[in-house]
Coordinates of all heavy atoms in Angstrom, one line a residue:
M12 N 0.8 -24.8 -43.4 CA 1.2 -25.2 -44.7 C 2.6 -24.8 -45.1 O 3.3 -25.6 -45.7 CB 0.2 -24.5 -45.7 CG 0.4 -24.9 -47.1 SD -0.3 -26.5 -47.4 CE -0.2 -26.6 -49.1
I15 N 5.8 -27.0 -43.0 CA 6.3 -28.3 -43.4 C 7.5 -28.1 -44.3 O 8.5 -28.8 -44.1 CB 5.2 -29.1 -44.1 CG1 4.1 -29.5 -43.0 CG2 5.8 -30.4 -44.7 CD1 2.9 -30.2 -43.6
P16 N 7.5 -27.3 -45.4 CA 8.8 -27.1 -46.1 C 9.9 -26.5 -45.3 O 11.1 -26.9 -45.6 CB 8.3 -26.2 -47.3 CG 6.9 -26.4 -47.4 CD 6.4 -26.6 -46.0
I17 N 9.6 -25.6 -44.4 CA 10.7 -25.0 -43.6 C 11.3 -26.1 -42.7 O 12.5 -26.1 -42.6 CB 10.1 -23.9 -42.7 CG1 9.7 -22.7 -43.7 CG2 11.1 -23.4 -41.7 CD1 9.0 -21.6 -43.0
L18 N 10.5 -26.9 -42.1 CA 11.1 -28.0 -41.3 C 11.8 -29.0 -42.1 O 12.8 -29.6 -41.7 CB 9.9 -28.7 -40.4 CG 9.3 -27.8 -39.3 CD1 8.2 -28.5 -38.7 CD2 10.4 -27.3 -38.3
G19 N 11.3 -29.3 -43.3 CA 12.0 -30.2 -44.2 C 13.4 -29.6 -44.6 O 14.4 -30.3 -44.7
L20 N 13.4 -28.3 -44.8 CA 14.7 -27.6 -45.2 C 15.6 -27.7 -44.0 O 16.8 -27.9 -44.1 CB 14.4 -26.2 -45.6 CG 15.6 -25.4 -46.0 CD1 16.2 -26.0 -47.3 CD2 15.2 -23.9 -46.2
D22 N 15.8 -30.1 -41.8 CA 16.3 -31.5 -41.8 C 17.4 -31.7 -42.9 O 18.4 -32.3 -42.6 CB 15.2 -32.5 -42.2 CG 14.2 -32.7 -41.0 OD1 14.6 -32.6 -39.9 OD2 13.0 -33.0 -41.3
I23 N 17.2 -31.0 -44.0 CA 18.3 -31.1 -45.0 C 19.6 -30.4 -44.5 O 20.7 -30.9 -44.7 CB 17.8 -30.5 -46.4 CG1 16.7 -31.4 -47.0 CG2 19.0 -30.4 -47.3 CD1 16.0 -30.9 -48.2
M66 N 10.1 -41.0 -38.8 CA 10.6 -39.6 -38.9 C 11.0 -39.1 -37.5 O 12.0 -38.4 -37.4 CB 9.5 -38.7 -39.5 CG 9.3 -39.0 -41.0 SD 8.2 -37.8 -41.6 CE 8.3 -38.2 -43.4
I91 N 18.6 -36.1 -44.8 CA 18.4 -35.4 -46.1 C 17.2 -36.1 -46.9 O 16.4 -35.4 -47.5 CB 19.7 -35.5 -46.9 CG1 20.8 -34.6 -46.3 CG2 19.5 -35.1 -48.4 CD1 22.1 -34.6 -46.9
F92 N 17.1 -37.4 -46.8 CA 16.0 -38.1 -47.5 C 14.7 -37.7 -46.8 O 13.7 -37.4 -47.5 CB 16.2 -39.6 -47.4 CG 15.0 -40.4 -47.8 CD1 14.6 -40.5 -49.1 CD2 14.2 -41.0 -46.8 CE1 13.5 -41.2 -49.5 CE2 13.1 -41.7 -47.2 CZ 12.7 -41.8 -48.5
K93 N 14.7 -37.6 -45.5 CA 13.5 -37.2 -44.7 C 13.1 -35.8 -45.1 O 11.9 -35.5 -45.2 CB 13.7 -37.4 -43.2 CG 12.6 -37.0 -42.4 CD 13.0 -37.1 -40.9 CE 12.1 -36.4 -40.0 NZ 11.8 -35.0 -40.3
G94 N 14.0 -34.9 -45.1 CA 13.7 -33.5 -45.5 C 13.2 -33.4 -46.9 O 12.2 -32.6 -47.1
T95 N 13.8 -34.1 -47.8 CA 13.3 -34.1 -49.2 C 11.9 -34.6 -49.3 O 11.0 -34.1 -49.9 CB 14.2 -34.8 -50.1 OG1 15.6 -34.3 -49.9 CG2 13.8 -34.7 -51.5
Y96 N 11.7 -35.7 -48.6 CA 10.3 -36.4 -48.5 C 9.3 -35.4 -47.9 O 8.2 -35.3 -48.5 CB 10.4 -37.7 -47.7 CG 9.1 -38.4 -47.6 CD1 8.6 -39.1 -48.6 CD2 8.4 -38.3 -46.4 CE1 7.4 -39.8 -48.4 CE2 7.2 -38.9 -46.2 CZ 6.7 -39.7 -47.2 OH 5.5 -40.3 -47.1
S97 N 9.7 -34.7 -46.9 CA 8.7 -33.8 -46.2 C 8.4 -32.6 -47.1 O 7.2 -32.2 -47.2 CB 9.3 -33.2 -44.9 OG 9.5 -34.3 -44.0
I98 N 9.4 -32.1 -47.8 CA 9.1 -31.0 -48.7 C 8.3 -31.4 -49.9 O 7.3 -30.7 -50.3 CB 10.5 -30.4 -49.3 CG1 11.2 -29.7 -48.1 CG2 10.2 -29.5 -50.4 CD1 12.6 -29.2 -48.5
L99 N 8.5 -32.6 -50.5 CA 7.8 -33.0 -51.6 C 6.3 -33.4 -51.2 O 5.4 -33.2 -52.0 CB 8.4 -34.2 -52.3 CG 9.8 -33.9 -53.0 CD1 10.4 -35.2 -53.5 CD2 9.6 -32.9 -54.1
T100 N 6.1 -34.0 -50.1 CA 4.7 -34.3 -49.7 C 4.0 -33.1 -49.1 O 2.8 -33.2 -48.9 CB 4.7 -35.5 -48.7 OG1 5.5 -35.1 -47.5 CG2 5.3 -36.7 -49.3
G101 N 4.7 -32.0 -48.7 CA 4.1 -30.9 -48.1 C 3.4 -30.0 -49.1 O 2.5 -29.2 -48.8
F102 N 3.7 -30.2 -50.4 CA 3.0 -29.4 -51.4 C 1.9 -30.0 -52.1 O 1.7 -31.1 -52.3 CB 4.0 -28.9 -52.5 CG 5.0 -27.9 -52.0 CD1 6.3 -28.2 -52.0 CD2 4.6 -26.7 -51.6 CE1 7.3 -27.3 -51.5 CE2 5.5 -25.7 -51.2 CZ 6.8 -26.0 -51.1

Side-chain angles (χ1 to χ4, degrees):
M12 183 78 170
I15 293 172
I17 291 173
L18 292 176
L20 184 63
D22 286 330
I23 292 173
M66 289 186 173
I91 291 176
F92 170 73
K93 179 186 162 305
T95 307
Y96 177 78
S97 296
I98 290 172
L99 292 177
T100 58
F102 288 116

